[in-house]
Amino acid sequence: MTTLAARIIHISITRDWRDVYAFMARPENMPLWASGLSSGLTPDGADWIAPGPLGNARVRFAPDNALGVVDHLVTLENGLTVHNALRVVPNGDGAEVMFTLLRQPDMSDEQFAGDAEWVARDLATLKSILEQKNDGTHHG
């Protein structure tokens, strides 16, 4: 198997890392910040179903853990499975969220760069949600 090119996209969030993890680890919250899942997730046994432009994807999340691991496997209808490595780690009083983007076979430089920009936008949305919830004016 060939090693894929990788890019780590990360963002600092001014919120306790455990709060960030608790929010991110709930699949129900993903459509709030992960735009690729904006149409929602439907539970299906241990997996979740995510409708998308390429058909329904099956998503399996890492079990709840104390290490900040929010990895998820996405299996497309064509059988391709993509491992999305997503981590939350302590960063001072806040958190660092890191997503490892793997360049898929046959992906152009432009597509890889576009995917990286998409992930960065999603992480910025996550930061906005969690820092807004942290300022005491919004609850939920």
Side-chain angles (χ1 to χ4, degrees):
M1 174 184 241
T2 306
T3 301
L4 303 173
R7 194 161 164 199
I8 298 173
I9 299 121
H10 63 97
I11 197 163
S12 300
I13 298 178
T14 308
R15 179 93 182 248
D16 184 276
W17 77 272
R18 290 168 291 243
D19 292 343
V20 174
Y21 170 76
F23 180 84
M24 292 178 66
R26 292 183 49 88
E28 302 92 328
N29 289 337
M30 282 205 127
L32 300 175
W33 62 272
S35 58
L37 300 173
S38 61
S39 55
L41 290 167
T42 304
D44 184 34
D47 297 341
W48 294 75
I49 303 299
L54 301 176
N56 288 337
R58 182 166 290 278
V59 184
R60 174 155 300 181
F61 291 91
D64 196 32
N65 62 84
L67 301 173
V69 176
V70 195
D71 287 11
H72 47 288
L73 294 175
V74 178
T75 303
L76 304 176
E77 282 188 350
N78 68 8
L80 175 68
T81 297
V82 178
H83 179 196
N84 293 303
L86 183 59
R87 304 287 194 280
V88 182
V89 298
N91 181 351
D93 293 332
E96 198 70 21
V97 176
M98 297 166 287
F99 182 91
T100 303
L101 179 65
L102 298 175
R103 183 176 177 163
Q104 299 304 306
D106 302 324
M107 183 180 272
S108 71
D109 290 343
E110 293 77 20
Q111 289 170 316
F112 190 50
D115 277 4
E117 289 171 10
W118 188 339
V119 170
R121 282 192 305 273
D122 284 352
L123 293 182
T125 299
L126 176 69
K127 175 183 176 76
S128 175
I129 290 169
L130 288 168
E131 289 184 353
Q132 182 180 45
K133 285 186 174 199
N134 202 34
D135 70 8
T137 60
H138 293 83
H139 303 282

